[in-house]
């Protein structure tokens, strides 16, 4: 799809943002009222895979989509937030082929119909966008829909789904504490709110035993058939291959196309979720999915585009939207894995918003990063000032410098690198907003 810089749909959203709050106000009453006026499209969906978690939601969604499309099924996909354009939140399934981002005219039409049905009543923009999801997905036939939770689970606008084929809970860590609680047990309880009585649940890898216990206890209380990563299914690397195992046996697969060891557990959760949802799964299907899966902005290698002209010659550049301490740990582990294969000095270019824990994020890189360049973020009022963010990096044990743009950061790295050493490895991240800025500036938005 070719999209104008400021499309018809984006103009409608811009107007809606002037009428309704952009933030979160967790409740299901407003979305239920709106959906009733629209004819309850959320009750007219194909089988739904509903995905929650602090980290890994997007990756497991991408793996599920790849697994289902590998068997020729049409798959609707809802994710949030977007990186560059609002359309990225809605992928419309195509029978036997690769789904496409929603057409601008269809998106704008759905937005107008939802806004008209709302009748000017108080509602959040995310709730309007969620209603658009259900309207689009109910009116366009597909074999399955994958719907990612926006925030939390229990009161997230997507949680009007009454009978998901499977609920998937991915890794839980501290994030959005003002809304979800300041302990992982409280956050786990909110995420567990997407579980529905008697329906299947897949619990992905959990770093915190206390979070796992909350999820398992909730599943048992609701009578949900459930499986737990590390107990009922797992995945590991062996001789350069991915070995997946569950109660049905083993699969010997190619390593996932998405880089990082953390993707092994994400791939495993997706395989088990697709099985639990009642769809076929063979080694050939899983093999095809591992080599075709894609997920922009998550450990995405940048090899071309306008920004590359500012970088040191031969630099290896990655962008990643991970933005909390848990994400920092898995991204740092991935960087360490890259270092084992090919040693390069690591530089960070980081921007974050003020609802996150920058010190916790930076701490994961304290022993592996040479220098941090902190940058502003366009498109949000919540961006942390680069000077303040640099101090957070210092507090985490890193050397940091504030700069005005990502391009300036790349130029600073080019000036600083030692030509006697291998070309640097550069990680640009800390926020999905920043990744969106980078992909837009680079001229390589997701498709």
């Amino acid at each position: 799809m070719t999209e104008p810089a400021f499309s018809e749909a984006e103009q409608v959203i811009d107007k809606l943002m002037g009428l309704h709050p952009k933030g979160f106000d967790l409740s299901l009453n407003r979305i239920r009222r709106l959906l009733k006026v629209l004819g309850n499209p959320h009750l007219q969906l194909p089988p739904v895979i509903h995905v929650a978690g602090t980290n890994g939601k997007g990756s497991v969604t991408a793996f599920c989509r790849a697994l289902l499309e590998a068997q020729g099924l049409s798959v609707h996909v809802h994710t949030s937030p977007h990186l560059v354009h609002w359309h990225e939140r809605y992928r419309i399934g195509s029978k036997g082929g690769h789904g496409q981002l929603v057409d601008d005219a269809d998106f704008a039409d759905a937005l107008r119909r939802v806004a008209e049905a709302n009748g000017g009543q108080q509602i959040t923009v995310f709730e309007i966008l969620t209603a658009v999801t259900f309207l689009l997905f109910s009116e366009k036939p597909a074999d399955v829909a994958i719907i990612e939770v926006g925030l939390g689970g229990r009161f997230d606008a997507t949680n009007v789904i009454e009978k998901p084929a499977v609920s998937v809970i991915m890794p839980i860590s501290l994030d959005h504490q003002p809304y979800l609680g300041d302990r992982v047990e409280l956050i786990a309880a909110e995420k567990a709110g997407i579980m529905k009585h008697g329906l299947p649940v897949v619990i992905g890898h959990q770093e915190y035993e206390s979070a796992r216990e909350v999820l398992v206890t909730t599943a048992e209380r609701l009578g949900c058939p459930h499986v737990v990563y590390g107990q009922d299914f797992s995945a590991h690397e062996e001789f350069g291959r991915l070995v997946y195992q569950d109660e049905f046996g083993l699969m010997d697969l190619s390593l996932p196309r998405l880089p990082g060891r953390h993707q092994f557990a994400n791939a495993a959760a997706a395989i088990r979720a697709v099985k639990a949802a009642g769809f076929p799964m063979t080694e050939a299907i899983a093999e095809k999915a591992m080599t075709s899966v894609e997920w922009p902005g998550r450990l995405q290698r940048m090899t071309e585009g306008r920004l590359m002209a500012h970088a040191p010659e031969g630099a290896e550049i990655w962008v990643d939207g991970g933005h909390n301490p848990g994400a920092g740990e898995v991204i740092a582990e991935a960087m360490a894995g890259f270092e084992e294969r090919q040693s390069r000095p690591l530089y960070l270019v980081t921007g974050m918003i003020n609802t996150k824990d920058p010190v916790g994020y930076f701490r994961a890189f304290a022993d592996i990063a040479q220098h941090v360049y902190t940058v502003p973020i366009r498109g949000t009022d919540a961006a942390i000032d680069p000077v303040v963010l640099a101090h957070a990096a210092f507090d985490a044990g890193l050397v940091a410098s504030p700069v005005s743009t990502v391009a300036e950061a790349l130029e600073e790295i080019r000036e600083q690198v030692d030509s006697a050493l291998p070309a640097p490895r550069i990680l640009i991240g800390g926020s999905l907003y920043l990744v969106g800025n980078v992909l837009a500036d680079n001229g390589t938005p997701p498709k």
Side-chain angles (χ1 to χ4, degrees):
M1 181 192 70
T2 301
E3 184 182 12
F6 196 65
S7 71
E8 183 182 8
E10 287 175 317
Q11 293 178 50
V12 176
I13 292 172
D14 189 58
K15 182 177 179 180
L16 289 171
M17 282 188 165
L19 300 173
H20 302 290
K22 290 186 287 185
F24 299 103
D25 182 8
L26 300 181
S27 167
L28 296 180
N29 295 331
R30 294 179 300 273
I31 185 73
R32 283 182 172 142
R33 169 190 55 76
L34 175 56
L35 291 172
K36 185 176 181 180
V37 177
L38 290 166
N40 291 318
H42 62 299
L43 304 181
Q44 303 163 39
L45 301 179
V48 171
I49 296 175
H50 200 192
V51 182
T54 306
N55 296 307
K57 295 194 303 291
S59 293
V60 81
T61 294
F63 277 116
C64 285
R65 173 190 159 208
L67 288 161
L68 293 160
E69 288 188 340
Q71 45 194 295
L73 299 176
S74 57
V75 187
H76 292 333
V77 183
H78 166 264
T79 56
S80 68
H82 60 282
L83 294 175
V84 180
H85 298 299
W86 293 90
H87 301 70
E88 298 163 31
R89 297 176 180 233
Y90 313 93
R91 187 169 292 275
I92 305 301
S94 175
K95 193 68 176 179
H98 192 77
Q100 299 294 319
L101 299 185
V102 65
D103 178 77
D104 184 67
D106 290 343
F107 185 23
D109 176 66
L111 280 165
R112 288 195 194 93
R113 285 190 286 151
V114 169
E116 182 179 344
N118 187 57
Q121 296 194 52
Q122 186 70 11
I123 197 164
T124 68
V125 171
F126 181 74
E127 287 164 342
I128 290 175
L129 294 171
T130 302
V132 167
T133 301
F134 295 135
L135 194 62
L136 288 170
F137 289 5
S138 68
E139 294 179 344
K140 298 180 182 296
D143 297 306
V144 59
I146 308 170
I147 296 182
E148 181 186 321
V149 166
L151 174 66
R154 183 165 60 114
F155 291 120
D156 184 77
T158 66
N159 202 30
V160 294
I161 298 166
E162 295 183 355
K163 295 182 178 180
V166 63
S167 299
V168 185
I169 315 288
M170 295 306 289
I172 291 169
S173 61
L174 292 174
D175 201 3
H176 297 294
Q177 291 95 314
Y179 299 100
L180 305 179
D182 58 0
R183 303 199 315 273
V184 291
E185 299 91 335
L186 297 175
I187 296 174
E190 292 296 323
K191 308 286 187 185
I194 72 166
M195 298 182 189
K196 300 300 186 294
H197 189 274
L199 297 177
V201 172
V202 172
I203 298 172
H205 169 70
Q206 301 296 326
E207 179 183 352
Y208 297 97
E209 180 64 31
S210 57
R212 185 187 302 108
E213 288 175 357
V214 169
L215 298 176
V216 170
T217 299
T218 304
E220 291 174 344
R221 175 172 55 81
L222 294 174
C224 298
H226 58 282
V227 289
V228 181
Y229 181 85
Q231 173 181 306
D232 304 299
F233 68 99
S234 63
H236 66 275
E237 182 179 1
E238 189 172 306
F239 301 115
R241 302 279 293 173
L242 181 69
V243 178
Y244 169 86
Q245 182 173 10
D246 62 18
E247 66 269 39
F248 302 107
L250 291 170
M251 287 195 286
D252 177 24
L253 308 169
S254 294
L255 292 178
R257 185 181 176 194
L258 301 184
R261 293 188 183 95
H262 61 290
Q263 295 295 1
F264 302 165
N266 293 337
I271 292 170
R272 193 62 189 82
V274 169
K275 287 186 178 185
F279 293 95
M281 183 56 58
T282 65
E283 191 167 88
I285 289 170
E287 172 68 21
K288 183 176 180 181
M290 293 305 105
T291 57
S292 64
V293 64
E294 55 185 6
W295 189 223
R298 282 74 171 180
L299 277 184
Q300 177 183 341
R301 179 85 179 268
M302 278 195 356
T303 58
E304 59 182 4
R306 293 189 289 263
L307 285 174
M308 300 300 291
H310 301 276
E313 185 176 353
E316 180 183 300
I317 303 178
W318 299 85
V319 293
D320 189 275
H323 48 254
N324 54 50
E329 289 173 6
V330 297
I331 299 164
E333 182 186 12
M335 292 293 114
F338 296 161
E339 177 68 12
E340 289 176 6
R341 291 194 290 274
Q342 183 182 22
S343 181
R344 293 173 180 257
L346 175 65
Y347 291 82
L348 305 185
V349 180
T350 309
M352 299 187 77
I353 62 174
N354 58 22
T355 58
K356 307 305 175 186
D357 173 11
V359 176
Y361 174 85
F362 283 127
R363 196 171 284 133
F365 299 93
D367 295 328
I368 61 173
Q370 300 278 328
H371 198 105
V372 180
Y373 291 92
T374 56
V375 296
I377 305 174
R378 301 190 310 274
T380 174
D381 298 330
I384 299 175
D385 183 275
V387 174
V388 175
L389 191 58
H391 281 291
F394 277 119
D395 291 343
L398 289 158
V399 179
S401 305
V403 294
S404 300
T405 65
V406 170
E408 182 182 343
L410 294 175
E411 291 168 357
E412 288 280 346
I413 296 170
R414 186 173 62 191
E415 293 296 321
Q416 294 299 321
V417 294
D418 186 341
S419 59
L421 297 175
R425 179 171 290 120
I426 303 170
L427 172 66
I428 307 173
S431 170
L432 286 166
Y433 290 103
L434 177 63
V435 170
N437 290 176
V438 169
L439 295 179
D441 293 344
N442 198 48
T444 52
K447 296 179 180 180

